[in-house]
Amino acid sequence: MSAPILKVSGVSKRFGGFTALDGIELELGASERLGLIGPNGSGKTTLINCISGALTNDAGSIVFEGQDITRLPPHRRAALGVARSFQIPKPFRSMTVLENLRVPLEYAARGRTERRRIDADALEVLELIGLKNRAHDSSAGLTQVDMRKLELARALAAKPKLLVSDEAMAGLSSSEVDEILEILLALNGRGVAVIMIEHIMRAVMGFAQRLVVLDAGRKIADGTPQDIIRNPDVERAYLGE
Amino acid sequence: MFRNRGDVVFWIVLGAVLLAGFGVTQTIANEYYYTAIYAILQATIMAVAWNILGGFTGYVNFGSAAFFAIGAYTAVALDKWLGLPMPFLIAASAAVCGLMGLGVGYLTLRLKGVYFAIATLAMAIVLETLINNWDYVGAAKGVYILTPEKVPFFSSYIQLLFMVMLALTLGSIAISRYLNASRIGRGLAAIRDDEVAAECAGVPTLRLKLISTTLMGAMMGVAGAPYPFFVTFVDPISAFNLFVAVNSIAMPMIGGTAHWIGPVIGALLVGGAQEVITVTVSSELNVLIVGIMLVLFITLAPQGIVGLVQKWMKRRKR
């Protein structure tokens, strides 16, 4: 593994008396593809909320490219190159698809984007995602799969080094899942590290180079997909004794 | 300033309006017209200011009257204490109400939607109680203001204030228009659409919301500063009038909130109608008229007049 781009050490998060995360350790190499799996309520979304800054962890530290980002608000992390997509798409509904991408280009990727290149950059992202023909349509009128694509496109427009994709494929048809997978692979091919949370096992197994399994706020396994499916702890977490 | 042809047209129109206003003061002596137009101008600034937070950023402020009144009372207090000239009073009101706006901005950290609206309304009530008990500015019985008999260039003080108000109105429209098309304006729109997603797209949401509330407060303070001198008497009931707050919301809603011109159209239309109705029908009825217009627009054309025009233009293009 190359030098880690993200280092999560001893991260814990409590909500009242409930421990959502308990001493999570995680390292991610630059341009690595990581799958994050675990039963419902195991803390996957809490963990990526801590990584993207939507939540602040109670203990432990998060280091991104050698910089401690534990206390930074989400917009600063976005500017450093941490992007995320949301499980339930959150488009800027009053804007067109293209305008949706202008926001991260003008804010998160500011300083890494030339001002007069903004529209060109946005169109390039839309081309890669396959939404170019909808560029000037209202984002509120998109189909479900196009909304997911817009979600990824907007994350991508922030010119991230790490993309956290939270169940980008839930509820999509099999061919649509393949479309999204292709986009994520293309992205990764450009050197972006990806953390994928996904319940569709076919998608995670095909995509991830490494899997991390969470259960009840603890990391119970970390290894290649082949090792993970043979791991008895993982089997117990998913299927019970 | 002149980025494209639209900018040139905008500034020419602004200049023309200002010149026309000056022309009016040199030809018309009847003070009624100044009183009527002043009321419309004041409503325009309030509507434009409300729209910066309500329309661009998506936070509904029900306490506009408080900003207006504090602007007015700041001017009253400083006039009585130091006797400062009008430009300083306006600047001071802008500063005080801007700070008030900044405070309200921090409320957005915890309050959204209807809770934020209620908090601003509560703030207005608290501040009214405060002024009601502040003897230096007349407390509940109000205060009379002495205005100069003679002024340079104009035949009356009313006309001078009218020109001041016209310039302030045009200035506030220019600020709102610039903001609407700027990078900050796009950040505010992102906050309005989805605050969490905006933050993750790199938008410093708190900072932009504070800019928005501060600007709104300062502009409302500016609208309030000349008011005591124009009417020469001010008391808490007239300054904290709920009608000011309702107008500030109704006018942008009727004109259209997403575009800078919306509140201007709304203020001219509703404000103009109010003045006409006050004279021709009754001064009580105009409150009812605004209410009916607001209900009609919210149910039939929630995007306001600007939205109707945009829809119509889109249909014509096809």
Side-chain angles (χ1 to χ4, degrees), chain A residues 75 92 94 106-108 110, chain B residues 183 186 192-194 199 201:
Chain A
H75 70 265
F92 300 134
S94 71
E106 278 191 303
Y107 280 93
R110 202 190 185 200
Chain B
R183 176 171 164 270
R186 287 185 288 277
R192 177 188 62 208
D193 286 352
D194 196 304
E199 179 79 24

Side-chain angles (χ1 to χ4, degrees), chain A residues 108-138:
Chain A
R110 202 190 185 200
R112 291 177 281 153
T113 311
E114 280 179 70
R115 266 182 74 174
R116 55 191 175 77
R117 288 264 322 150
I118 284 176
D119 278 359
D121 282 2
L123 283 171
E124 200 188 313
V125 171
L126 289 177
E127 175 99 70
L128 174 80
I129 299 279
L131 269 183
K132 200 174 179 183
N133 55 338
R134 315 283 321 249
H136 299 289
D137 293 350
S138 157

Side-chain angles (χ1 to χ4, degrees), chain A residues 6 23 25 30 45 53 78 85 88 119 121 133 138 152 160 180 186 200 211 214-215 221:
Chain A
L6 179 77
E25 303 280 337
T45 298
S85 69
I88 297 156
D119 278 359
D121 282 2
N133 55 338
S138 157
L152 285 176
I180 301 282
I200 303 172
L211 282 184
L214 295 187
D215 181 36

Side-chain angles (χ1 to χ4, degrees), chain B residues 97 119 280 303:
Chain B
C97 293
T280 56
Q303 311 298 320

Side-chain angles (χ1 to χ4, degrees), chain A residues 3-231:
Chain A
I5 187 170
L6 179 77
K7 196 167 188 300
V8 174
S9 336
V11 162
S12 298
K13 178 75 191 171
R14 262 177 297 278
F15 298 106
F18 175 71
T19 305
L21 291 177
D22 188 5
I24 300 289
E25 303 280 337
L26 184 69
E27 266 190 28
L28 187 73
S31 70
E32 194 182 359
R33 299 192 298 274
L34 179 79
L36 188 58
I37 62 172
N40 284 326
S42 59
K44 304 182 296 292
T45 298
T46 307
L47 178 59
I48 63 162
N49 277 340
C50 288
I51 292 171
S52 68
L55 294 172
T56 309
N57 38 301
D58 306 321
S61 70
I62 297 166
V63 176
F64 182 72
E65 287 198 309
Q67 184 182 351
D68 189 342
I69 61 167
T70 316
R71 300 280 154 217
L72 291 187
H75 70 265
R76 296 276 310 278
R77 302 189 195 200
L80 288 173
V82 181
R84 74 169 290 185
S85 69
F86 291 92
Q87 192 172 350
I88 297 156
K90 293 172 175 287
F92 300 134
R93 287 176 178 275
S94 71
M95 306 181 196
T96 65
V97 169
L98 187 74
E99 286 165 346
N100 260 271
L101 301 204
R102 245 182 235 153
V103 176
L105 278 166
E106 278 191 303
Y107 280 93
R110 202 190 185 200
R112 291 177 281 153
T113 311
E114 280 179 70
R115 266 182 74 174
R116 55 191 175 77
R117 288 264 322 150
I118 284 176
D119 278 359
D121 282 2
L123 283 171
E124 200 188 313
V125 171
L126 289 177
E127 175 99 70
L128 174 80
I129 299 279
L131 269 183
K132 200 174 179 183
N133 55 338
R134 315 283 321 249
H136 299 289
D137 293 350
S138 157
S139 66
L142 293 179
T143 61
Q144 200 35 236
V145 63
D146 281 351
M147 286 249 191
R148 303 298 177 95
K149 287 184 185 172
L150 174 59
E151 196 64 35
L152 285 176
R154 204 174 52 193
L156 193 53
K159 303 195 172 167
K161 293 163 191 155
L162 165 64
L163 171 72
V164 185
S165 150
D166 189 0
E167 295 205 39
M169 302 167 215
L172 297 186
S173 74
S174 179
S175 65
E176 288 166 342
V177 166
D178 288 336
E179 272 184 69
I180 301 282
L181 267 181
E182 227 167 86
I183 292 169
L184 287 173
L185 279 170
L187 242 153
N188 179 249
R190 297 176 157 206
V192 179
V194 180
I195 298 180
M196 177 199 272
I197 293 192
E198 200 52 73
H199 279 301
I200 303 172
M201 286 317 265
R202 173 175 76 84
V204 200
M205 287 302 193
F207 179 80
Q209 298 162 316
R210 187 160 67 96
L211 282 184
V212 164
V213 189
L214 295 187
D215 181 36
R218 287 169 203 273
K219 185 166 103 172
I220 58 168
D222 186 343
T224 63
Q226 287 71 31
D227 291 342
I228 294 293
I229 45 173
R230 275 185 242 112
N231 185 319

